[in-house]
Amino acid sequence: MNDPSKTSANKMAGSDHDLAKPLSPTTGLRQSLSSYGDTHFSLFLRKAFIKALGYSEDALSRPIVGIVNTSSGLNPCHANGPQLLEAAKRGVHLAGGLAVDFPTISLHESFAAPTSMFLRNLMSMDTEEMIRAQPVDSVVLIGGCDKTTPAQLMGAISANKPAIHLVTGPMMPGSHNGVRIGACTDCRNNWAKYRAGAIDIEEIAELNDELAPTAGTCGVMGTASTMACLLVALGMMPLKGATPAAVSSARLRVAEDAGTRAVFLTQNPHLTPQGILSRESFVNAITVLQAIGGSTNAVVHLLAIANRHPAVAGQINLNTIDEVGRRTPLLVDLKPSGDNYMTDFHAAGGMPALLHQLRPLLHLDALTVTGHTLGQELYLAGPVRPLAPNSPVNCIRPFDSPLYPQSSLVVLRGNLAPRGAVIKASASKDRRLLSHSGPAVVFRGTADLAQRIDSPDLTATADSVLVLQGIGPIGNPGMPEAGMVPIPRKLAVEQGVGDMLRISDGRMSGTAGGTIVLHIAPESVDPSSVLGVVEDGDMITCDVESRSLRVELTDEEIQSRILRRSQTAATAAEDTSLGGAGGSTSHWVERENMRGYRGLYMRSVNQADEGADFDFLTAAGPAGRN
Ligand code: FES
């Protein structure tokens, strides 16, 4: 029998492939081998196939950097993906690595039904498994649109290979009648004006042309921009990575730099996501979240991300969000909490300038993807150059002169939300509503809402509390951004009402504003939910100062309603006639028999206070199931 170590085929395979040697399975092409029951043959076959792509032995001996490509013809937020990919590859090759790109799922907010959030966990699974399965020594994660960066970080933490984020960057603002506009705060403001009859069909069509004038993510402090800033604060992206515009040359330099740093990561394998991230990194991220008046969606994402990390899971929860908020001022004057756009934030110094202001609150010893601590990175970034006194881009307030003194994002609890709820107090348009009692006007799902909200017969006043049930993670899969319930037309048009207290178990867009309580847990379709038994006319009290959200009912009355509801829960037809899409507890019962990804989602998704992740993907695994 031939000794394979002495064959010419063995010589041809090169030193990495000396078939007489035991394989070191940890780096380069030798890792993550396909299983044929013969590891040497697996490597031999892999080399044969990769040579079909034209690589030389020299190229294949380099550290391999995978670049996760999320370009898609249905994702305009990632439309600059090809240019970023090319620049990141340049950075890898300049640093002596071999760049290979591979695709994963891409999600855009407007092109994913029922919601992109329904697919976030699928994208995280895709990301995790492709990083784990393929022979890459580190990865550059190109993402941007709202759910993509959280999905990528969740997956990267679980895969735990060295990874660096590269976001696509914000779009430029557009212009209408000489006024700057941008997705998506101005989409919502102008749509509300159109609904109220303040602008006509021609004008809303003109606005439509200018709201998203370039490639890139929404140009305000929505979820995408928030997550970009948080990636910096977490230490998973360099300081200058968050804010350059998608269409700028600076963005391409950021991409090249990400490629170079990804090669550095291959030589520092301890800098994995689990090695970098700590409780302190998450506290830094929450500090930034509060200081930028960031998206409420980021709360859900941060909880999901933290719960992927074995050493952080359980240490970051809704209480942490509120505690950090109480000591953190709102410093960044961007829509929807303020007036400006991401391009202004970038011109004002971006994340380095903000982090300098926040120094007293930050854990400066937290590690980052560069191998330096956050404090070292700030030192290396140098002092922030002061802006001219009346600079129009001056949207970062000094620490002692904030836009809002503290707690832009607040966690509420009470009998309506025993496991918590979130409100972006800084985005309230009528601050009197932050302490308010009023009678409930209840909608049992989005179909019921669409049918009745503009009815002249709707019994609602400006003091009413609009309650939307059935839009939680299970009640309306994906927990849609329907929490910004529109002001009933008759109140908006006839009385000029611009804000009302609205509560739900759903989410709202990070670009939206108003006095809106979200993410109520447990959600209304949970058989134990109090939100699920609220009825028209019940008095609801929300008090941000005392962090309280209550329905003014006795415990006996609540328990009696919950019992009554559970006795009728099996009557799905009755529920459907009452609630339409999402309002029915029948979802809770029927999920056991659902097929495919939807069935997996419905059986496995946890509640908003845990991140709406799949229980089997968390660090605790399904054993952590409630
Ligand atoms: Fe992609 Fe807003 S739709 S960031």
Side-chain angles (χ1 to χ4, degrees):
M1 185 180 284
N2 285 340
D3 178 351
S5 67
K6 299 204 171 76
T7 63
S8 57
N10 181 43
K11 274 189 224 153
M12 191 172 69
S15 59
D16 257 3
H17 314 291
D18 183 343
L19 302 184
K21 287 184 191 169
L23 292 175
S24 164
T26 53
T27 59
L29 284 181
R30 290 164 294 175
Q31 65 191 304
S32 307
L33 287 168
S34 310
S35 177
Y36 293 103
D38 175 346
T39 51
H40 295 93
F41 178 68
S42 298
L43 180 59
F44 173 77
L45 204 59
R46 173 172 286 174
K47 293 262 308 194
F49 279 115
I50 202 161
K51 283 181 175 172
L53 295 171
Y55 291 116
S56 64
E57 286 290 345
D58 180 27
L60 295 176
S61 70
R62 307 298 177 104
I64 302 176
V65 175
I67 304 184
V68 180
N69 183 355
T70 53
S71 295
S72 158
L74 288 174
N75 194 341
C77 297
H78 295 197
N80 58 340
Q83 293 80 42
L84 295 184
L85 178 60
E86 187 187 323
K89 280 186 168 179
R90 184 168 65 244
V92 172
H93 295 151
L94 285 170
L98 172 65
V100 289
D101 66 296
F102 61 88
T104 67
I105 295 170
S106 188
L107 299 175
H108 183 275
E109 290 303 288
S110 291
F111 298 95
T115 73
S116 61
M117 185 65 176
F118 177 63
L119 298 167
R120 183 201 63 180
N121 299 345
L122 181 63
M123 183 174 178
S124 83
M125 291 169 72
D126 184 3
T127 306
E128 173 184 346
E129 296 304 334
M130 295 316 287
I131 292 174
R132 182 179 286 127
Q134 299 183 124
V136 290
D137 295 308
S138 69
V139 286
V140 178
L141 302 162
I142 303 182
C145 196
D146 293 10
K147 306 308 176 294
T148 61
T149 48
Q152 290 180 320
L153 184 50
M154 290 158 69
I157 291 172
S158 297
N160 205 31
K161 278 188 189 174
I164 184 169
H165 282 267
L166 167 59
V167 297
T168 53
M171 65 177 70
M172 303 296 290
S175 174
H176 178 69
N177 291 345
V179 176
R180 290 191 305 167
I181 57 171
C184 226
T185 305
D186 300 320
C187 310
R188 296 173 200 287
N189 294 344
N190 285 295
W191 188 251
K193 284 183 194 166
Y194 173 63
R195 273 176 50 81
I199 59 179
D200 60 22
I201 186 81
E202 285 79 20
E203 186 165 4
I204 196 76
E206 281 174 28
L207 281 154
N208 193 265
D209 282 346
E210 280 290 315
L211 284 164
T214 71
T217 51
C218 289
V220 297
M221 195 51 84
T223 305
S225 300
T226 300
M227 288 309 304
C229 295
L230 299 196
L231 290 173
V232 171
L234 284 166
M236 292 301 298
M237 189 162 71
L239 293 189
K240 294 183 177 173
T243 57
V247 293
S248 65
S249 59
R251 175 55 56 194
L252 296 177
R253 285 189 287 275
V254 167
E256 184 183 297
D257 180 61
T260 301
R261 290 184 189 279
V263 178
F264 165 80
L265 289 176
T266 67
Q267 290 139 19
N268 293 273
H270 64 289
L271 291 175
T272 62
Q274 289 184 25
I276 293 169
L277 295 167
S278 60
R279 183 181 187 280
E280 287 69 31
S281 335
F282 281 89
V283 170
N284 286 344
I286 297 167
T287 303
V288 166
L289 173 65
Q290 295 281 3
I292 61 181
S295 165
T296 47
N297 286 318
V299 174
V300 182
H301 297 321
L302 271 179
L303 294 170
I305 293 164
N307 285 333
R308 287 293 184 101
H309 192 311
V312 177
Q315 294 188 40
I316 297 293
N317 52 37
L318 283 176
N319 290 341
T320 329
I321 305 279
D322 200 67
E323 284 163 19
V324 172
R326 287 176 188 269
R327 59 174 184 259
T328 308
L330 174 65
L331 297 183
V332 177
D333 184 3
L334 252 60
K335 292 184 176 193
S337 293
D339 287 328
N340 299 296
Y341 295 88
M342 281 299 284
T343 44
D344 303 316
F345 184 38
H346 177 69
M351 283 300 290
L354 175 66
L355 292 172
H356 272 295
Q357 290 295 334
L358 289 172
R359 280 182 84 99
L361 300 180
L362 295 173
H363 292 280
L364 295 172
D365 53 353
L367 192 57
T368 78
V369 74
T370 64
H372 297 129
T373 65
L374 184 63
Q376 288 169 328
E377 281 297 313
L378 280 173
Y379 174 79
L380 291 169
V384 176
R385 208 183 300 279
L387 297 171
N390 294 319
S391 166
V393 299
N394 205 348
C395 59
I396 303 175
R397 298 286 188 91
F399 190 79
D400 53 4
S401 177
L403 200 64
Y404 197 72
Q406 59 173 29
S407 298
S408 56
L409 290 163
V410 171
V411 174
L412 303 171
R413 295 185 191 272
N415 65 0
L416 254 183
R419 287 171 55 176
V422 172
I423 181 171
K424 189 195 273 193
S426 61
S428 170
K429 293 179 181 165
D430 182 349
R431 298 262 154 102
R432 292 171 304 171
L433 294 171
L434 296 176
S435 178
H436 179 74
S437 290
V441 175
V442 180
F443 300 93
R444 298 199 60 192
T446 50
D448 184 34
L449 175 73
Q451 200 176 347
R452 295 195 294 124
I453 188 71
D454 287 335
S455 166
D457 300 330
L458 186 74
T459 309
T461 70
D463 286 335
S464 298
V465 178
L466 304 179
V467 179
L468 179 55
Q469 299 168 332
I471 61 166
I474 294 171
N476 199 330
M479 204 183 168
E481 292 183 342
M484 195 183 81
V485 175
I487 305 296
R489 183 170 280 150
K490 70 176 188 180
L491 297 178
V493 175
E494 292 165 20
Q495 298 176 31
V497 175
D499 196 7
M500 294 173 72
L501 180 59
R502 291 158 269 181
I503 73 171
S504 77
D505 46 8
R507 299 177 296 117
M508 76 172 180
S509 165
T511 62
T515 311
I516 300 171
V517 177
L518 303 154
H519 312 174
I520 290 177
E523 64 175 298
S524 65
V525 298
D526 183 310
S528 69
S529 167
V530 178
L531 175 66
V533 298
V534 171
E535 296 173 0
D536 281 342
D538 292 343
M539 287 301 288
I540 307 279
T541 299
C542 173
D543 184 50
V544 164
E545 182 65 29
S546 63
R547 306 302 199 249
S548 171
L549 181 67
R550 296 185 50 78
V551 55
E552 305 302 338
L553 296 173
T554 63
D555 290 347
E556 291 73 25
E557 173 61 14
I558 289 171
Q559 289 312 316
S560 154
R561 288 190 191 182
I562 287 176
L563 183 63
R564 222 166 39 233
R565 183 184 190 225
S566 70
Q567 287 166 344
T568 56
T571 316
E574 179 189 353
D575 281 328
T576 304
S577 71
L578 286 169
S584 169
T585 55
S586 61
H587 275 68
W588 194 268
V589 178
E590 292 165 4
R591 61 188 174 152
E592 295 306 325
N593 298 319
M594 290 180 182
R595 66 162 296 281
Y597 176 72
R598 189 180 175 91
L600 181 71
Y601 173 96
M602 294 289 272
R603 289 187 292 276
S604 308
V605 72
N606 58 29
Q607 291 290 288
D609 63 326
E610 299 166 300
D613 196 5
F614 293 161
D615 53 15
F616 62 87
L617 293 175
T618 63
R625 197 174 280 183
N626 282 308

